[in-house]
Amino acid sequence: MLTYDLEQRGKLARYDYLYRCIKEDILSGRLEKGEKLPSKRALAAHLHIGVVTVENAYAQLEAEGYLYAREKRGYFVCPVGIRQSGAEPPRSVERREERKWLLDLVGSGGGTEGFPFSVWARLTRQVLAQKGKELLRAVPHNGIPELRQAISQHLYRCRGISADPEQVVVGAGTEYLYNLLVQLLGRERIYGVEDPGYAKAERVYALNGARCVFLPVDSRGVSPELLEESGCQVLHVSPNHQFPTGAVTPIARRQEMLRWAEGGEGRYIIEDDYDSEFRFTGRQIPALQTIDSGDRVIYVNTFSRTLAPSLRVSYLVLPRHLLEAYRERLGFYASTVPAIEQHTLARFLEEGYFERHLNRMRVFYRERRNQVIAAIQGSSLAGRCRVLGAEAGLHFLLELDTPLEDRVLTCRGERAGVRLSFLTQYQCRPGSAGEHTLVISYPGLDPAGMREGLEVLAKLLDP
Amino acid sequence: MLTYDLEQRGKLARYDYLYRCIKEDILSGRLEKGEKLPSKRALAAHLHIGVVTVENAYAQLEAEGYLYAREKRGYFVCPVGIRQSGAEPPRSVERREERKWLLDLVGSGGGTEGFPFSVWARLTRQVLAQKGKELLRAVPHNGIPELRQAISQHLYRCRGISADPEQVVVGAGTEYLYNLLVQLLGRERIYGVEDPGYAKAERVYALNGARCVFLPVDSRGVSPELLEESGCQVLHVSPNHQFPTGAVTPIARRQEMLRWAEGGEGRYIIEDDYDSEFRFTGRQIPALQTIDSGDRVIYVNTFSRTLAPSLRVSYLVLPRHLLEAYRERLGFYASTVPAIEQHTLARFLEEGYFERHLNRMRVFYRERRNQVIAAIQGSSLAGRCRVLGAEAGLHFLLELDTPLEDRVLTCRGERAGVRLSFLTQYQCRPGSAGEHTLVISYPGLDPAGMREGLEVLAKLLDP
């Protein structure tokens, strides 16, 4: 007869402990396949427990396929493989130390100082209190109407874009949206990406099995002449502030791009408007989408850059004629942004906080950019470098006078505690970006604390 | 000389209005390519505005490529295409009316009544107050350590799963995670999905360009004998509570599945543990992952079902040997779940609210299920139907005695205000699911208000 010491069950219920013991005996082979188990009544008497306890244990083992019942004959062991080792309790998370740099020009951090956190927190509390349980219901696949409406109005006011709320699709980050775009437009198409450019876009397309062609970027962005010959069908560009070169595509080229798109079946331009909000000289550059009379432009932008990296809200503006296909193919996807964030962001936009935030940040970033440039020009680097592309965006270029190769400088910097990022790191094919040009992400820099690092950097430039 | 009425500028700045006017003249062709613009000084005098105003307008037009400057000669119109129509202000969101059903057995709503919203709201406020601006920083690609740790501990306590926090990957919904899995495992593989089954999984795989094979489900889930001959390499199953049949895969079959996975290069089992938390008879069925000594199981689960549909948090548990490949291929993706939700959920788990919620909901759902079944058995349907698969999950099956085809009944129901969903709707190939079997999602049903609808349904069953 099966004998278990139920005193050892700790906090477990009796039936649960019995279930575990019998299961262990089956898995370890002590109870063999086909073996008949004692009747419930007999086992209960033997172990001095209630019949119901044995009944529950047997029922669970039957549900999981360890035992089978034969009417009026009792329970038998199923044919089950034998296991050796048991499960161990999980280990804890180990946290990795981040390296402290003397000077970090790559600047993964920063850019969140100006975020009106108390406003955001207040709006979140408001949404929680006012919307209550409504927040638990599933939201439409393309985002809540209030947020799409607010984005549509923001785009009209600030970017001159005329888009109905139904053209807006909200999603958890631009990378996620690129994934959706491949699923919408097709992975059999050829995607043209800027070189040098935003590497993640290319990576997402490639991970989706789409072929990418690289389009060289000059001082005015991608040259439209190359489009036809490249064979690309979907063009991914950032005409308003190219990353990382900072190039602005002039109107004539934009028109040529649009003509190219209209000149072939199923051609589209994905306009990545990332970073365009922070233009420090003159007004913002109007989006390509605003002159797209042929409906070939899919506009993409994100709030992760303008508000906070931890807030994953980005959006698409789809041409009207794609809406039905989108709904049909991708409308089954649940919205990836939680309802609370959507409602909070909608209010943040509606009540004008976002535009005020942008205006404030424009002033803040301009000031910081000036201070960083002043720090460079007040260091031994002065006269050995030129600032480029500083009229917009959260990075600028710094052309260095040095005979050393970029990778040599990067290694030297690494050893000396100066973290560098060169334009050439963003090139897809060798030679598409100039050498000796740093890409300086300045929002996280402390202008007052750069002196030592800049002196170290200046010394690194000599062979 | 260019003449514009600056009184008509409304709220626009003077330079902005002037910029718009000149741009319009260029785009409409009134100013022709190559044409020289008046000098800044001359135009300023002509329009009675400051020179700086003209300067700003010209600079912006130059930045956008409408004008080019020749040193000492002035500004000229660039060659630019001519446009006809201007942008119209966007329209408003139109809201669609949802149909009111006499009886909705498909039940898209419901299931959020028991959510401890005030606790969630309090934890959110706490996180906002205590974490403050820390919440703005980018979070690790796989989720914040606190949440992964809490999930790991929850899995150990409640599902017997031993997974280190570093094996956990948090993402915005299971569909998003399926996308990542295809990118991790490869779209050239063949994915085996259950038939009848959870259609969205198959849809995501297909949208990713992966080939799917359909594996028939019997009362014990997918038969392992079919795995070899199907040619499938990645098996997507829900062995603990198959959707929609409710089948539980017995231990012997599980072991065979694992042997299949270990028997071939690159074979994996995606264990979709959706809905397994709500088992009403006995204990929960242990996850397949707990007996996976060969590390072939990728476990997937979601909080959207157990907490609220609008909360998009799901997670993977990856086998250790996949971690490096995951980081390398997909580690560049930003986390798709906002930091606030991650911290709030981590606390909700750590402080035991989640387990208490599950226990409460188990009681709540059992009660509701019993009431719904009682309502059915108290109606004219009694004696003409059998309840199946009601021991777990948030739906059960109702086999109907009727000679009518499912699609005829669905149409009749539609006309009579009764919304029906049949098992056959979840089949991928004809014949894989039995006819005349309703899938009843009961969390959103009001047992007291079903009488009339059930009587109507009973009448529909006669030819």
Side-chain angles (χ1 to χ4, degrees):
Chain A
M1 180 76 79
L2 298 175
T3 305
Y4 306 112
D5 181 4
L6 272 90
E7 295 308 308
Q8 287 187 25
R9 69 181 188 277
K11 287 182 174 172
L12 294 176
R14 282 168 209 272
Y15 99 90
D16 190 1
Y17 183 70
L18 181 59
Y19 149 82
R20 286 170 195 241
C21 291
I22 298 175
K23 183 164 107 173
E24 195 47 46
D25 278 355
I26 294 172
L27 284 173
S28 66
R30 280 189 294 274
L31 278 168
E32 277 175 35
K33 121 180 155 179
E35 203 171 328
K36 185 180 183 302
L37 267 77
S39 76
K40 296 175 210 166
R41 198 165 296 272
L43 187 58
H46 177 64
L47 297 176
H48 305 288
I49 52 178
V51 176
V52 175
T53 305
V54 182
E55 208 165 80
N56 286 340
Y58 280 13
Q60 183 69 26
L61 289 162
E62 189 191 0
E64 295 181 19
Y66 289 93
L67 300 181
Y68 60 93
R70 284 275 166 272
E71 215 168 340
K72 304 225 167 108
R73 292 192 46 217
Y75 285 87
F76 297 84
V77 176
C78 294
V80 156
I82 285 158
R83 186 199 61 187
Q84 265 75 41
S85 64
E88 282 168 55
R91 284 181 281 157
S92 285
V93 145
E94 75 285 10
R95 287 159 205 258
R96 284 194 198 82
E97 285 279 318
E98 275 192 22
R99 177 162 174 194
K100 285 266 171 271
W101 298 91
L102 179 62
L103 179 64
D104 180 1
L105 296 177
V106 181
S108 41
T112 61
E113 302 93 327
F115 182 77
F117 186 75
S118 59
V119 171
W120 187 267
R122 177 166 57 75
L123 292 176
T124 303
R125 289 193 303 267
Q126 230 176 58
V127 166
L128 282 168
Q130 290 169 8
K131 295 278 165 184
K133 293 208 159 191
E134 195 193 308
L135 294 172
L136 304 175
R137 284 210 298 267
V139 301
H141 72 96
N142 50 354
I144 63 167
E146 294 90 333
L147 179 55
R148 288 183 286 115
Q149 173 101 47
I151 288 173
S152 150
Q153 284 170 352
H154 161 72
L155 285 175
Y156 185 65
R157 273 197 312 272
C158 295
R159 302 294 287 125
I161 290 174
S162 179
D164 288 348
E166 61 169 331
Q167 292 174 260
V168 176
V169 177
V170 171
T174 42
E175 299 148 13
Y176 171 68
L177 294 174
Y178 301 157
N179 274 292
L180 293 185
L181 285 177
V182 180
Q183 295 181 13
L184 177 67
L185 303 175
R187 69 191 71 256
E188 69 289 354
R189 289 180 195 276
I190 299 172
Y191 289 72
V193 295
E194 297 166 324
D195 182 13
Y198 181 58
K200 284 190 179 185
E202 189 270 324
R203 219 158 153 190
V204 173
Y205 295 134
L207 272 170
N208 273 284
R211 219 184 101 206
C212 287
V213 292
F214 299 106
L215 302 164
V217 166
D218 63 25
S219 64
R220 297 176 297 152
V222 167
S223 164
E225 291 110 59
L226 298 172
L227 289 177
E228 280 299 344
E229 65 188 69
S230 74
C232 105
Q233 295 158 300
V234 180
L235 173 63
H236 186 119
V237 281
S238 43
N240 311 313
H241 185 239
Q242 207 271 335
F243 182 86
T245 66
V248 174
T249 302
I251 180 72
R253 266 204 181 179
R254 290 172 186 243
Q255 293 171 329
E256 281 178 71
M257 279 179 181
L258 292 173
R259 266 198 298 278
W260 163 82
E262 289 170 35
E265 183 68 18
R267 286 182 182 170
Y268 287 97
I269 299 175
I270 297 174
E271 178 180 26
D272 196 340
D273 203 22
Y274 170 88
D275 221 13
S276 71
E277 290 84 358
F278 299 115
R279 192 166 173 82
F280 306 118
T281 321
R283 331 164 61 246
Q284 283 183 48
I285 306 293
L288 180 61
Q289 201 268 6
T290 61
I291 57 163
D292 170 35
S293 54
D295 273 356
R296 309 318 300 175
V297 172
I298 298 170
Y299 178 90
V300 190
N301 209 341
T302 179
F303 292 100
S304 304
R305 185 67 167 171
T306 42
L307 286 173
S310 74
L311 190 82
R312 304 310 300 171
V313 193
S314 301
Y315 56 93
L316 303 172
V317 176
L318 293 172
R320 276 184 181 291
H321 66 99
L322 280 179
L323 292 181
E324 204 185 314
Y326 185 91
R327 257 193 301 267
E328 209 161 280
R329 282 176 76 87
L330 306 175
F332 78 96
Y333 276 121
S335 173
T336 42
V337 182
I340 297 183
E341 263 70 22
Q342 294 201 37
H343 282 284
T344 306
L345 181 56
R347 288 181 185 204
F348 194 80
L349 289 163
E350 282 162 13
E351 298 177 20
Y353 291 111
F354 184 59
E355 279 168 42
R356 261 171 276 160
H357 170 65
L358 286 183
N359 291 334
R360 226 178 10 243
M361 291 313 286
R362 218 172 275 126
V363 174
F364 173 84
Y365 285 136
R366 179 165 43 208
E367 180 67 10
R368 171 144 305 178
R369 176 202 62 171
N370 292 346
Q371 290 168 339
V372 168
I373 292 174
I376 291 169
Q377 284 163 347
S379 75
S380 305
L381 275 178
R384 306 187 61 180
C385 65
R386 266 167 312 286
V387 172
L388 303 168
E391 54 289 321
L394 302 184
H395 71 275
F396 59 80
L397 304 181
L398 192 71
E399 217 176 64
L400 301 171
D401 291 338
T402 174
L404 295 173
E405 282 178 37
D406 290 357
R407 55 179 185 78
V408 174
L409 271 176
T410 307
C411 289
R412 283 189 172 197
E414 188 108 3
R415 278 197 300 272
V418 180
R419 196 164 168 230
L420 302 174
S421 164
F422 283 96
L423 198 56
T424 44
Q425 282 168 241
Y426 297 93
Q427 69 189 5
C428 309
R429 293 171 311 179
S432 71
E435 284 262 331
H436 316 308
T437 308
L438 287 173
V439 178
I440 298 187
S441 169
Y442 63 80
L445 288 174
D446 166 24
M450 292 175 66
R451 185 189 302 247
E452 195 188 338
L454 288 172
E455 294 308 319
V456 170
L457 174 56
K459 287 208 191 78
L460 296 180
L461 300 187
D462 299 315
Chain B
M1 180 76 78
L2 298 174
T3 305
Y4 306 113
D5 181 5
L6 272 90
E7 294 308 308
Q8 288 189 22
R9 70 180 185 279
K11 285 179 175 176
L12 294 175
R14 281 168 209 272
Y15 98 90
D16 190 2
Y17 183 70
L18 181 59
Y19 147 85
R20 287 170 193 242
C21 292
I22 298 175
K23 185 164 103 170
E24 196 45 49
D25 279 356
I26 294 173
L27 285 172
S28 66
R30 281 190 292 273
L31 277 168
E32 278 176 34
K33 116 178 157 180
E35 201 170 333
K36 186 179 180 307
L37 267 76
S39 77
K40 298 173 205 166
R41 199 166 296 273
L43 186 57
H46 178 65
L47 297 176
H48 305 286
I49 52 179
V51 177
V52 176
T53 305
V54 182
E55 210 165 78
N56 286 339
Y58 281 13
Q60 184 68 27
L61 289 162
E62 190 190 359
E64 295 181 19
Y66 290 94
L67 300 181
Y68 59 93
R70 285 276 166 273
E71 217 168 338
K72 305 227 167 104
R73 292 190 48 215
Y75 286 86
F76 297 83
V77 176
C78 293
V80 155
I82 285 159
R83 185 200 63 188
Q84 264 76 42
S85 63
E88 281 169 55
R91 284 182 280 157
S92 285
V93 146
E94 76 283 12
R95 288 162 204 256
R96 284 193 197 83
E97 284 278 320
E98 275 189 23
R99 177 163 175 194
K100 285 266 172 268
W101 298 91
L102 179 61
L103 178 64
D104 180 1
L105 296 177
V106 181
S108 42
T112 61
E113 303 92 328
F115 183 76
F117 186 75
S118 59
V119 171
W120 187 268
R122 177 167 55 75
L123 293 176
T124 303
R125 289 193 304 266
Q126 231 176 55
V127 166
L128 282 168
Q130 289 168 9
K131 296 276 165 187
K133 292 207 159 191
E134 196 192 306
L135 294 172
L136 303 175
R137 284 210 298 267
V139 301
H141 72 95
N142 50 354
I144 64 167
E146 295 89 333
L147 179 56
R148 287 183 286 115
Q149 173 101 47
I151 288 173
S152 150
Q153 285 169 353
H154 161 71
L155 286 175
Y156 184 65
R157 272 198 312 273
C158 297
R159 302 295 285 125
I161 291 174
S162 179
D164 287 347
E166 60 169 332
Q167 291 175 262
V168 176
V169 177
V170 171
T174 42
E175 299 147 13
Y176 172 68
L177 294 174
Y178 301 157
N179 274 291
L180 293 186
L181 285 178
V182 180
Q183 294 181 13
L184 177 67
L185 304 176
R187 71 189 72 255
E188 68 289 355
R189 290 181 194 277
I190 299 171
Y191 288 72
V193 295
E194 298 165 324
D195 182 13
Y198 181 59
K200 282 191 179 185
E202 189 270 323
R203 216 155 157 193
V204 173
Y205 295 134
L207 273 171
N208 273 284
R211 219 186 100 206
C212 288
V213 291
F214 299 106
L215 301 164
V217 166
D218 63 25
S219 63
R220 297 176 296 153
V222 168
S223 163
E225 290 111 60
L226 297 172
L227 289 176
E228 281 299 345
E229 68 188 66
S230 74
C232 106
Q233 295 158 300
V234 180
L235 173 63
H236 186 120
V237 282
S238 43
N240 311 312
H241 185 240
Q242 206 270 337
F243 182 85
T245 66
V248 174
T249 303
I251 180 72
R253 266 205 182 179
R254 287 171 190 244
Q255 292 172 329
E256 280 179 72
M257 277 180 182
L258 291 173
R259 266 199 298 279
W260 164 82
E262 287 170 35
E265 182 69 18
R267 286 183 182 169
Y268 287 97
I269 299 175
I270 297 173
E271 178 180 25
D272 196 339
D273 203 23
Y274 171 89
D275 221 12
S276 72
E277 291 83 358
F278 299 114
R279 192 167 171 81
F280 306 117
T281 321
R283 334 166 57 247
Q284 283 183 47
I285 305 293
L288 180 60
Q289 202 266 7
T290 61
I291 56 162
D292 171 35
S293 54
D295 274 357
R296 310 318 299 174
V297 172
I298 298 169
Y299 177 91
V300 191
N301 208 340
T302 180
F303 292 99
S304 304
R305 185 66 167 172
T306 42
L307 287 173
S310 74
L311 189 82
R312 304 310 300 172
V313 193
S314 302
Y315 57 94
L316 301 174
V317 176
L318 293 172
R320 278 187 179 288
H321 67 98
L322 280 180
L323 294 180
E324 203 184 313
Y326 185 91
R327 256 192 302 267
E328 208 162 281
R329 282 175 77 87
L330 306 174
F332 78 97
Y333 275 122
S335 173
T336 41
V337 182
I340 297 183
E341 263 72 20
Q342 295 201 36
H343 282 283
T344 306
L345 181 55
R347 290 182 183 204
F348 194 80
L349 288 164
E350 283 161 14
E351 298 178 19
Y353 292 111
F354 184 58
E355 280 167 41
R356 261 170 277 162
H357 170 65
L358 285 184
N359 292 335
R360 227 178 9 245
M361 291 313 287
R362 218 171 276 127
V363 174
F364 173 85
Y365 284 136
R366 181 167 39 208
E367 181 66 9
R368 171 143 307 177
R369 177 204 60 171
N370 292 346
Q371 291 167 340
V372 168
I373 291 174
I376 291 169
Q377 283 162 348
S379 75
S380 306
L381 275 177
R384 305 187 61 182
C385 64
R386 266 167 312 285
V387 172
L388 302 169
E391 55 288 325
L394 302 184
H395 70 276
F396 59 81
L397 303 181
L398 193 71
E399 219 176 64
L400 301 171
D401 291 337
T402 174
L404 295 172
E405 282 178 39
D406 291 357
R407 53 179 186 78
V408 174
L409 270 176
T410 307
C411 289
R412 282 189 173 198
E414 188 109 1
R415 277 198 300 271
V418 180
R419 197 165 167 230
L420 302 174
S421 164
F422 283 95
L423 198 56
T424 43
Q425 282 168 242
Y426 297 93
Q427 70 188 7
C428 309
R429 292 170 312 178
S432 70
E435 285 261 332
H436 316 308
T437 308
L438 287 174
V439 179
I440 298 188
S441 169
Y442 64 80
L445 288 175
D446 167 23
M450 292 175 66
R451 185 188 301 247
E452 194 186 339
L454 288 172
E455 294 308 319
V456 169
L457 174 56
K459 287 208 191 77
L460 296 180
L461 301 187
D462 299 315

